[in-house]
Amino acid sequence: MASRQGSAVRGYRYQWALFADWCAAADTSPLPASPVTLSEFLDENPAGDAVQLRRVSAINRAHLDAGHPAPGRATSMRLALDSARSDRIIRRAAQYHAIAAALPTEASTAALFGRRDAVLLLLAGAGLSYNAIAELDRGDIGVDGDSVWIGGHHRIRIDPHEVTGFQPVEVWERWNTVLQFSDRYPSTVLLAEHLQRNTFPDMTVLPSRGGPVAVPIDRWGHLPLPAAPMTATEIGSVIAAHRTGLAPLHTPRRRISSPLADVEQVQTVVADNAPVSPELDDGYYRAGVDARRRAHSALAGVPGMVDDVEDRIEALLQRTLDLLGDEASPS
């Protein structure tokens, strides 16, 4: 065991010395080094995947020992080093983009889920794990021309697809508009009306606010107040439902309409009585918003419990269908 550890240390010393010599020739600092510098080093010193991974491990170890963040732990770096995973992610991204492009974006309650789920599929297709998506903040995502840039320690660029015409910027901005609108106008009714007509106000001049990108939505279209992130398990369930074609339709609840006679009676009563204009103090609307916030906090766990039960039922049904399919298939 001691000889193996000594061999590993000597190997790391050689890999680090090679990187330090290259940095000296390139007139750049080896410590700390950025992921871009590490990428350039790997590009100019080609080798097999195993050798490149060992070089990255040595450089990461030197940075961690010196108290610096490891440049090779960026998501984009890990994807570049694992060619097999990169190919798989490319195929998965194409599948997720096709699903996202077919989701509704306006004129129905399902559009709210469609806008959010399209972003989840976009991020998962880019190679982000469910945990990374759950931890992602709006400030980590930016727009660079026709591409979406995911900063932080991910450093991933999502470009539009030339063949299918998939536009990641449109997918992100549709959902970001909903998040910004909900921050400033915490009203499910107003949000539904703007989704129905697709007429959101211009909020580009307003300062951007941070907050989770992946936000849960209950079956009636309510977003949590204050905003709370989805869990990695919830994100995985949403993506798995779309991938298997078992995503719910999110049909809106029916509105109970009053009979015509009742409407005429109400109109008559209103016409007979003098109009009343109640005087509302300045804190009236604030008190209503505070009351709704308290209600959301008190009942925050109820939708999750119900959704968890429904997810278990759907998983059990799918498992049953799979078993029946295995029995029906010829051996």
Side-chain angles (χ1 to χ4, degrees):
M1 181 66 68
S3 61
R4 290 181 181 179
Q5 291 179 349
S7 176
V9 171
R10 287 193 298 272
Y12 275 179
R13 288 176 179 173
Y14 170 77
Q15 304 295 350
W16 173 252
L18 177 65
F19 177 69
D21 292 341
W22 178 87
C23 289
D27 194 21
T28 186
S29 174
L31 194 69
S34 67
V36 175
T37 301
L38 180 54
S39 298
E40 293 175 351
F41 164 73
L42 297 176
D43 182 65
E44 295 186 10
N45 296 270
D49 287 350
V51 175
Q52 297 288 48
L53 286 170
R54 188 172 186 82
R55 291 173 177 175
V56 173
S57 298
I59 296 169
N60 284 344
R61 184 72 268 163
H63 279 72
L64 293 175
D65 291 343
H68 298 294
R73 287 190 175 179
T75 304
S76 56
M77 181 64 63
R78 291 189 287 105
L79 296 181
L81 291 177
D82 190 349
S83 58
R85 187 180 181 221
S86 296
D87 293 339
R88 186 168 62 251
I89 286 176
I90 291 174
R91 295 192 300 269
R92 186 176 63 185
Q95 177 191 8
Y96 287 0
H97 291 175
I99 297 174
L103 295 178
T105 59
E106 59 184 69
S108 67
T109 304
L112 184 62
F113 294 89
R115 293 190 178 205
R116 182 203 63 182
D117 295 357
V119 170
L120 299 183
L121 290 165
L122 175 70
L123 298 174
L128 270 71
S129 65
Y130 298 152
N131 285 320
I133 297 175
E135 298 171 357
L136 201 62
D137 188 87
R138 282 179 248 171
D140 297 330
I141 301 182
V143 174
D144 183 12
D146 294 334
S147 303
V148 171
W149 172 255
I150 305 174
H153 64 278
H154 300 294
R155 304 181 66 83
I156 294 178
R157 183 184 182 91
I158 308 177
D159 297 319
H161 200 285
E162 297 180 357
V163 178
T164 62
F166 183 77
Q167 299 295 329
V169 172
E170 294 181 1
V171 172
W172 164 243
E173 288 185 342
R174 279 195 291 258
W175 175 237
N176 192 35
T177 298
V178 171
L179 294 176
Q180 292 182 2
F181 184 87
S182 298
D183 284 343
R184 293 168 173 83
Y185 310 99
S187 170
T188 304
V189 176
L190 283 178
L191 179 60
E193 291 178 356
H194 285 284
L195 277 173
Q196 187 73 24
R197 301 190 301 267
N198 194 25
T199 55
F200 286 93
D202 184 13
M203 293 176 288
T204 56
V205 297
L206 299 176
S208 299
R209 296 181 180 179
V213 173
V215 178
I217 309 172
D218 68 14
R219 67 188 65 196
W220 296 284
H222 296 291
L223 276 69
L225 183 67
M230 301 172 66
T231 65
T233 303
E234 292 171 339
I235 295 173
S237 298
V238 170
I239 294 176
H242 285 290
R243 189 176 61 248
T244 57
L246 299 176
L249 298 177
H250 301 298
T251 54
R253 57 180 178 177
R254 294 181 179 179
R255 293 185 177 181
I256 302 176
S257 58
S258 301
L260 182 59
D262 294 343
V263 174
E264 292 178 352
Q265 182 179 1
V266 171
Q267 291 176 350
T268 303
V269 172
V270 173
D272 293 340
N273 295 318
V276 179
S277 299
E279 296 182 1
L280 304 177
D281 57 14
D282 296 337
Y284 177 79
Y285 293 103
R286 174 54 56 187
V289 172
D290 292 341
R292 184 183 173 192
R293 182 181 290 108
R294 290 192 300 270
H296 271 277
S297 300
L299 302 176
V302 176
M305 294 172 59
V306 176
D307 292 340
D308 182 62
V309 173
E310 291 185 348
D311 291 341
R312 293 182 182 181
I313 294 174
E314 291 180 3
L316 181 60
L317 290 176
Q318 182 61 39
R319 177 57 180 163
T320 304
L321 293 175
D322 293 340
L323 292 174
L324 293 176
D326 293 340
E327 294 180 357
S329 58
S331 57

